[in-house]
Amino acid sequence: MKKYLIYLLILSCIFVCSCGQKKNQQQGEDAEAEAKMIVSGEKWLDTDGNAINAHGGGILYHDGTYYWYGEYKGDSTYWNPKVPSWECYRTEAGGVSCYSSQNLVDWKFEGVVLPSDTVNESSELHYSNVLERPKVIYNDKTKKFVMWLHVDSHDYAKAAAGVAVCDTPNGKFEYLGSMRPNDAMSRDMTLFKDDDGKAYHFYSSEENKTLYISLLTDDYLKPTGQFTRNFIDQSREAPAVFKQNGKYYILSSGCTAWDPNQAEYAVADSIMGQWKVMGNPCSGKDANITFYGQSTNVLKVEGKKDAYIAMFDKWNKTDLIDSRYIWLPIKFSGDSIDIAWQEKWNINEAFK
Ligand code: GAL
């Protein structure tokens, strides 16, 4: 009898221990799954535990790694005293940051790949100027990583586009200078590299009223002079361009400085237009103001079919460095797209 009781005790201990282990394992798996969630508007930390500082950004996929380039904002925000007529909130331009990731969730800070100039006040890259919406594409012929960005004076009067190059995605980019492409103003912008290797610069021009699409030279460093004027007098900003199933899509915002407004998308068979306006792609809570966000890029998830992520900035105009990110999956139905609000989601679940 005594022997029997001892056996029972040992068996109970084994049972309790294995239940505890299972619970711990489950908790571990839950925590890991939670860590891989993309959480809208929360503070996103890099792998060192610092807030990701890459606003108005874009993503390049190269050799199995995603590189996220964005505005590296300074930590003090002020209303530019020289521009009292509109809410010209500014922060010191820190240059362009770069983060790398294999899974789009864990981001390693690669450094500031195009630093602002802290000394020379006459430099276009001086921190008192505007350095926004950097995008990088890879040129297969020259083997250079080419960056274009919005380069402006402190009051946004210069309205120019700057170009920088590098031999590696995460090295220090060499700044080549700025221009008004096709002799026209250039503010909010993006780049798009097509399947045939041709690249295009999309930019808000003519006082942000009309969006230009400009074919770049083969080295991607200059405009060819071939361009179209699109969405004339429609005041579209924050362009993000992608291609799916042979169609071109452009996502953009209205023009209300740092404040949110309604997004719009358009579809075309040819990159230079004609574009067919399709309306607001957003749905769900606060869809009429883009979930408090503004488009910056659409990212293709590699290795998965029809897997695209719309990237938005949720600007905090009085503390710009603390602006957040909202990334949401795009759903397709014919030529139509839907970007539905989600507080958090998982890439593997969304794109099976
Ligand atoms: C927005 C633009 C931002 C920034 C801001 C300044 O319209 O999309 O990138 O330039 O204006 O107020």
Side-chain angles (χ1 to χ4, degrees):
M1 183 63 183
K2 201 172 164 195
K3 210 168 160 194
Y4 175 74
L5 276 175
I6 290 174
Y7 277 140
L8 203 66
L9 196 68
I10 291 173
L11 275 177
S12 318
C13 282
I14 292 173
F15 179 72
V16 169
C17 285
S18 77
C19 279
Q21 268 172 4
K22 269 208 182 115
K23 200 171 159 208
N24 286 346
Q25 191 186 337
Q26 185 60 45
Q27 277 173 350
E29 279 168 13
D30 287 352
E32 202 177 312
E34 187 68 21
K36 301 292 176 221
M37 298 293 260
I38 294 189
V39 187
S40 302
E42 286 295 304
K43 198 173 265 230
W44 292 7
L45 303 181
D46 66 15
T47 50
D48 293 328
N50 299 315
I52 295 179
N53 191 348
H55 310 276
I59 288 190
L60 167 78
Y61 181 74
H62 190 79
D63 279 350
T65 299
Y66 296 95
Y67 294 92
W68 176 0
Y69 302 89
E71 300 158 18
Y72 193 67
K73 292 196 177 289
D75 54 16
S76 67
T77 301
Y78 55 94
W79 184 325
N80 187 344
K82 293 182 190 142
V83 187
S85 55
W86 60 282
E87 283 193 336
C88 187
Y89 282 107
R90 291 293 326 279
T91 182
E92 306 81 32
V96 178
S97 55
C98 175
Y99 294 80
S100 65
S101 175
Q102 265 81 41
N103 63 5
L104 292 168
V105 181
D106 303 308
W107 290 98
K108 174 175 176 268
F109 183 48
E110 295 283 349
V112 176
V113 291
L114 181 70
S116 58
D117 192 323
T118 53
V119 182
N120 180 3
E121 278 182 33
S122 61
S123 163
E124 293 190 333
L125 300 184
H126 189 255
Y127 65 83
S128 60
N129 291 328
V130 169
L131 304 173
E132 289 180 345
R133 297 190 179 270
K135 303 289 177 297
V136 175
I137 50 177
Y138 179 66
N139 189 303
D140 301 277
K141 287 189 188 139
T142 61
K143 310 260 179 272
K144 299 268 185 204
F145 295 84
V146 182
M147 178 191 296
W148 282 63
L149 73 161
H150 173 195
V151 171
D152 225 318
S153 44
H154 68 93
D155 54 359
Y156 290 87
K158 185 182 172 86
V163 183
V165 287
C166 192
D167 292 331
T168 57
N170 53 356
K172 286 275 173 292
F173 278 67
E174 181 196 353
Y175 185 62
L176 302 180
S178 77
M179 76 199 87
R180 275 194 169 180
N182 304 302
D183 279 333
M185 291 176 138
S186 176
R187 292 202 181 97
D188 278 12
M189 55 138 281
T190 196
L191 296 177
F192 177 74
K193 179 178 166 184
D194 210 341
D195 303 328
D196 59 4
K198 286 188 175 163
Y200 302 82
H201 178 212
F202 288 66
Y203 55 99
S204 301
S205 192
E206 303 178 11
E207 293 294 1
N208 305 334
K209 287 201 176 80
T210 295
L211 192 98
Y212 280 40
I213 303 175
S214 160
L215 173 67
L216 298 181
T217 49
D218 285 350
D219 56 12
Y220 302 166
L221 302 182
K222 292 188 192 89
T224 54
Q226 198 182 324
F227 69 94
T228 53
R229 294 168 68 241
N230 303 268
F231 312 105
I232 293 168
D233 292 335
Q234 300 295 303
S235 297
R236 303 311 302 170
E237 286 196 318
V241 179
F242 63 103
K243 187 180 188 181
Q244 189 259 359
N245 203 12
K247 298 257 182 202
Y248 299 92
Y249 290 80
I250 181 166
L251 196 62
S252 65
S253 75
C255 187
T256 52
W258 301 111
D259 292 334
N261 53 56
Q262 191 166 113
E264 184 181 277
Y265 77 106
V267 186
D269 291 320
S270 154
I271 182 102
M272 301 287 259
Q274 292 283 323
W275 291 87
K276 183 179 169 204
V277 175
M278 304 287 282
N280 181 5
C282 301
S283 64
K285 189 169 151 246
D286 300 317
N288 58 331
I289 48 164
T290 322
F291 323 116
Y292 290 92
Q294 186 185 29
S295 45
T296 184
N297 192 52
V298 171
L299 145 75
K300 186 175 181 324
V301 183
E302 296 300 322
K304 292 191 188 261
K305 197 173 177 296
D306 295 338
Y308 294 81
I309 298 175
M311 298 166 50
F312 303 94
D313 294 287
K314 186 179 179 188
W315 300 116
N316 181 348
K317 66 182 176 190
T318 55
D319 188 9
L320 282 165
I321 193 176
D322 193 32
S323 300
R324 306 289 175 85
Y325 313 102
I326 299 172
W327 291 9
L328 293 166
I330 300 181
K331 289 251 151 33
F332 295 87
S333 155
D335 287 355
S336 302
I337 62 169
D338 178 42
I339 304 171
W341 169 252
Q342 296 185 62
E343 254 159 46
K344 52 183 175 180
W345 60 286
N346 175 285
I347 292 182
N348 291 331
E349 289 292 314
F351 308 117
K352 286 200 171 136

